[in-house]
Amino acid sequence: MSDLSTTHPRYASLKIRDAITAGVEQGITSIHGLIAHGRGEAFDYLIGEKTRPFARAAMRAAAALLLRAQHPVISVNGNTAALVAAESVALGRLLQAPLEVNIFHASKERERAIRRHLEKHGATAVLMPSREAELNFIDSNRRFVHPEGIFRADVIFVPLEDGDRCTALRQMGKEVVTVDLNPMSRTAAHSSVAIVDNVVRALPQLIAQIRALQSASAKALEELIAGYHNDAVLQEALECIRGGK
Ligand code: PTJ
């Protein structure tokens, strides 16, 4: 860990860097994950490193979609595990949804390290990718999924996604909720709901939003989902980055 003073003006950002580099050192996060993180940091800087109204709107719709789901699943990769393991476990518990390890850069060792890390944070059942079920429309390692998890899911929460799987899941008729700081990514464009925010800020707020909507009627959830337009929300994020808002 860096010798960080809480008074450092970049303290929050540097703490997150420490978490992601620790993830690499522990064999949880891919070395490529550092590059992905750097890209995320650049976009975070451009949105002012705070949760914006467009992200809050997406979180409300995401909460409604996840609450309406019959079989929600939370997909966890190396960056998510390093940054928000405890929050991912809490989200799974709240939704009674399984966590499933699914990584882009293939490594059985890293899959097992992610599972152990989630278990250390309180996860009881972590689904692992298998050769028994494969997604269509995708060639990468991410096509291998658990038959009772992502394969069967109707709504999948996939923070820090690569665009290919998001598109494949949508082509298979599933709803996809993502967290991605880049509003121009294929992931953001192709998901049902894209939360343009740092996953570190987004997860606690999404959990709070789900709690707030837990007793909402089915009709109220439907209305929230129907009133959400991902393209328009991404446009707002782009305007914010261009300095418009
Ligand atoms: O563990 P693995 O093998 O599954 O690999 C995970 C990564 C993230 C390396 C892999 O999925 C990947 O290469 O992703 P991409 O295509 O680089 O996309 C990652 C996206 O996440 C980019 O659009 C980044 O801007 C965004 N991002 C990075 N850090 C954060 C983020 N979004 C939200 N919060 C972050 N902290």
Side-chain angles (χ1 to χ4, degrees):
M1 288 287 161
S2 319
D3 183 16
L4 272 180
S5 158
T6 51
T7 57
H8 192 290
R10 304 287 311 148
Y11 177 75
S13 173
L14 294 173
K15 277 288 282 185
I16 304 175
R17 275 194 188 182
D18 270 354
I20 204 85
T21 49
V24 175
E25 281 159 9
Q26 291 162 20
I28 294 166
T29 307
S30 149
I31 191 89
H32 305 90
L34 298 179
I35 299 168
H37 185 78
R39 181 157 43 162
E41 270 191 356
F43 280 104
D44 206 8
Y45 199 83
L46 292 171
I47 64 165
E49 295 174 320
K50 61 183 179 194
T51 303
R52 296 285 183 170
F54 50 79
R56 274 192 280 275
M59 283 176 207
R60 266 192 302 282
L65 259 185
L66 288 162
L67 283 167
R68 189 189 64 171
Q70 299 291 313
H71 299 291
V73 172
I74 294 143
S75 181
V76 181
N77 66 16
N79 287 50
T80 306
L83 296 179
V84 283
E87 294 82 354
S88 300
V89 173
L91 180 65
R93 203 168 285 153
L94 183 62
L95 294 168
Q96 297 186 327
L99 304 185
E100 180 167 336
V101 177
N102 186 279
I103 61 177
F104 179 71
H105 301 285
S107 156
K108 286 286 151 211
E109 219 177 302
R110 201 155 60 82
E111 286 171 0
R112 286 192 288 269
I114 293 172
R115 178 175 61 189
R116 280 196 301 275
H117 188 65
L118 293 171
E119 285 169 351
K120 246 195 273 170
H121 284 84
T124 44
V126 179
L127 302 179
M128 298 298 277
S130 76
R131 300 273 154 167
E132 286 161 50
E134 273 185 46
L135 298 178
N136 302 328
F137 312 113
I138 180 172
D139 295 326
S140 80
N141 183 57
R142 298 195 99 163
R143 73 183 186 275
F144 298 113
V145 290
H146 193 286
E148 291 305 313
I150 290 170
F151 190 73
R152 179 168 172 246
D154 55 347
V155 182
I156 304 147
F157 181 60
V158 280
L160 276 86
E161 174 67 331
D162 72 299
D164 283 354
R165 188 175 61 140
C166 180
T167 312
L169 292 169
R170 296 287 284 136
Q171 280 178 282
M172 289 179 76
K174 298 172 189 293
E175 302 281 9
V176 179
V177 175
T178 55
V179 182
D180 191 335
L181 277 159
N182 178 4
M184 287 172 275
S185 73
R186 280 179 308 137
T187 301
H190 291 135
S191 53
S192 317
V193 176
I195 301 169
V196 180
D197 199 7
N198 197 314
V199 73
V200 171
R201 292 190 300 269
L203 261 280
Q205 294 183 73
L206 177 62
I207 289 170
Q209 191 61 66
I210 291 170
R211 290 211 173 99
L213 285 176
Q214 238 169 351
S215 51
S217 66
K219 186 163 173 273
L221 295 182
E222 284 307 330
E223 280 170 7
L224 264 176
I225 294 164
Y228 177 81
H229 301 290
N230 201 49
D231 289 350
V233 167
L234 292 180
Q235 275 309 313
E236 281 177 41
L238 279 173
E239 270 171 45
C240 170
I241 286 173
R242 289 194 195 107
K245 274 189 201 166

